[in-house]
């Protein structure tokens, strides 16, 4: 009789996992999820850019769900320092022909946000430097252990750890921004000024607190994957990390908000 409560709890957990499997199976059956994952991995590793462009073009022409190829296009642009003008123009035209010319404003907004841009050598060097110094991509992706994941990259299928969470991990383990402040300053110059007097690099690193609470606040919103990554980090550091944010979103819901903005 004493084990009845535990059995009920296991039954509820089993029902939850079966439900999750059914949803995942349905998603795999109705879309191009495997193709998308392969393209995502290639984009993050910085390999086979030509093949990535061809796959994105195929998804557009086969009229996959609109935000699927658009997410990949933005990801490629952000991680590769932009897309060569002739390829970007061609993909934008095909996108409008497949999904409607009323999405011209959507593409324009993405360009204003620098999510879609012409190629820039400086931008690609910044991203690759961030990946290397923050160790965002696991060394052995092909043999990643999802049963006992070694790091927070598991939230993206072992392909990459969220940049924001790597930054947070650095601060919580070292007690300062020293070592990565130049990376942060490139996009947040008002927070990390270049003046050596106020630079985080000139300040001595404080001894990190092993215990205690840490509050992480995302202004503008964060993804569910980032929350899960911070949960993993909390267990790894044996430290309570409390996450607060102005909103929670997914890649598709974020792009939907941009597309529907008036």
């Amino acid at each position: 009789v004493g084990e009845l409560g535990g059995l009920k709890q296991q039954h509820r957990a089993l029902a939850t996992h079966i439900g999750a499997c059914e949803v995942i199976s349905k998603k795999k059956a109705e879309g191009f999820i495997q193709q998308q994952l392969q393209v995502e991995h290639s984009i993050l590793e910085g390999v086979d850019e030509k093949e990535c462009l061809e796959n994105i073009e195929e998804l557009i022409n086969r009229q996959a769900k609109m935000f699927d190829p658009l997410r990949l296009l933005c990801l490629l642009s952000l991680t590769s320092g932009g897309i060569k003008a002739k390829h970007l123009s061609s993909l934008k035209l095909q996108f409008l022909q497949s999904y409607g010319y009323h999405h011209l404003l959507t593409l324009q907004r993405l360009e204003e946000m620098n999510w879609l841009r012409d190629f820039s050598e400086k931008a690609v060097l910044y991203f690759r430097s961030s990946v290397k110094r923050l160790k965002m991509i696991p060394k052995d992706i092909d043999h990643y252990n999802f049963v006992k994941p070694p790091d927070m990259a598991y939230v993206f299928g072992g392909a990459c750890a969220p940049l924001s969470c790597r930054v947070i991990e650095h601060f919580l383990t070292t007690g300062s921004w020293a070592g990565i402040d130049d990376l942060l300053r490139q996009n947040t110059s008002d927070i990390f000024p270049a003046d050596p007097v106020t630079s985080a690099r000139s300040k001595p690193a404080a001894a990190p607190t092993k215990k205690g609470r840490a509050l992480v606040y995302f202004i503008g919103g964060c993804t569910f994957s980032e929350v899960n990554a911070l949960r993993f980090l909390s267990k790894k550091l044996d430290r309570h990390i409390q996450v607060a944010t102005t909103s929670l979103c997914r890649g598709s819901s974020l792009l939907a908000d941009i597309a529907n903005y008036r």
Side-chain angles (χ1 to χ4, degrees):
V1 178
E3 297 179 355
L4 187 59
L7 289 172
K8 286 183 176 179
Q9 187 175 359
Q10 290 179 19
H11 184 268
R12 285 195 295 269
L14 181 61
T16 301
H17 280 83
I18 291 173
C21 289
E22 289 175 347
V23 171
I24 293 170
S25 298
K26 184 179 179 182
K27 289 288 183 182
K28 287 183 69 175
E30 68 184 20
F32 308 93
I33 188 167
Q34 199 62 40
Q35 183 180 2
Q36 292 174 51
L37 288 173
Q38 290 174 354
V39 176
E40 284 178 7
H41 283 222
S42 296
I43 289 173
L44 291 169
E45 292 174 39
V47 297
D48 299 327
E49 182 176 338
K50 182 180 178 181
E51 186 177 340
C52 291
L53 287 167
E54 289 174 354
N55 275 283
I56 293 171
E57 185 176 17
E58 181 184 347
L59 289 171
I60 291 172
N61 291 330
R62 293 176 67 179
Q63 292 191 320
K65 290 184 178 179
M66 187 185 78
F67 296 122
D68 292 341
L70 192 58
R71 285 173 62 186
L72 294 174
L73 196 58
C74 291
L75 181 64
L76 181 62
S77 177
L78 289 167
T79 58
S80 302
I83 301 171
K84 291 181 180 178
K86 64 176 183 179
H87 296 313
L88 183 58
S89 297
S90 174
L91 287 167
K92 283 165 57 180
L93 178 60
Q94 291 178 68
F95 181 86
L96 294 173
Q97 290 173 338
S98 289
Y99 301 107
Y101 281 87
H102 59 286
H103 285 297
L104 182 63
L105 287 175
T106 302
L107 297 178
Q108 183 180 348
R109 292 183 192 118
L110 291 172
E111 288 175 341
E112 290 171 353
M113 296 164 63
N114 274 336
W115 285 18
L116 285 179
R117 58 186 297 179
D118 290 339
F119 178 76
S120 164
E121 188 69 33
K122 183 178 178 181
V124 68
L125 288 174
Y126 165 73
F127 179 78
R128 292 300 160 199
S129 177
S130 301
V131 166
K132 184 176 180 180
R133 289 169 61 181
L134 293 172
K135 299 178 180 178
M136 291 168 56
I137 296 180
K139 293 181 180 179
D140 192 2
I141 298 177
D142 294 331
H143 300 92
Y144 195 86
N145 188 346
F146 289 100
V147 178
K148 294 182 179 179
D151 61 17
M152 62 180 74
Y154 85 94
V155 300
F156 289 135
C160 183
L163 189 150
S164 59
C165 298
R166 277 289 193 239
V167 170
I168 293 163
E169 181 181 23
H170 177 90
F171 183 81
L172 292 179
T173 52
T174 66
S176 78
W177 303 116
I180 62 168
D181 55 323
D182 57 323
L183 290 176
L184 299 172
R185 194 181 300 120
Q186 291 189 45
N187 282 331
T188 54
S189 57
D190 52 339
I191 301 174
F192 296 91
D195 184 352
V197 176
T198 56
S199 173
R201 181 180 295 166
S202 64
K203 298 178 183 178
T209 305
K210 299 295 183 183
K211 299 293 181 180
R213 295 172 181 267
L215 174 63
V216 177
Y217 201 106
F218 290 93
I219 299 175
C222 70
T223 64
F224 290 92
S225 295
E226 285 170 310
V227 174
N228 286 331
L230 290 176
R231 285 175 180 165
F232 178 91
L233 182 62
S234 177
K235 292 180 180 178
K236 177 183 175 182
L237 300 180
D238 190 23
R239 182 172 182 179
H240 183 80
I241 299 176
Q242 192 164 357
V243 181
T245 179
T246 52
S247 66
L248 276 169
C249 64
R250 298 181 178 85
S252 55
S253 65
L254 180 59
L255 287 173
D257 288 340
I258 295 169
N260 296 325
Y261 178 76
R262 296 290 183 268

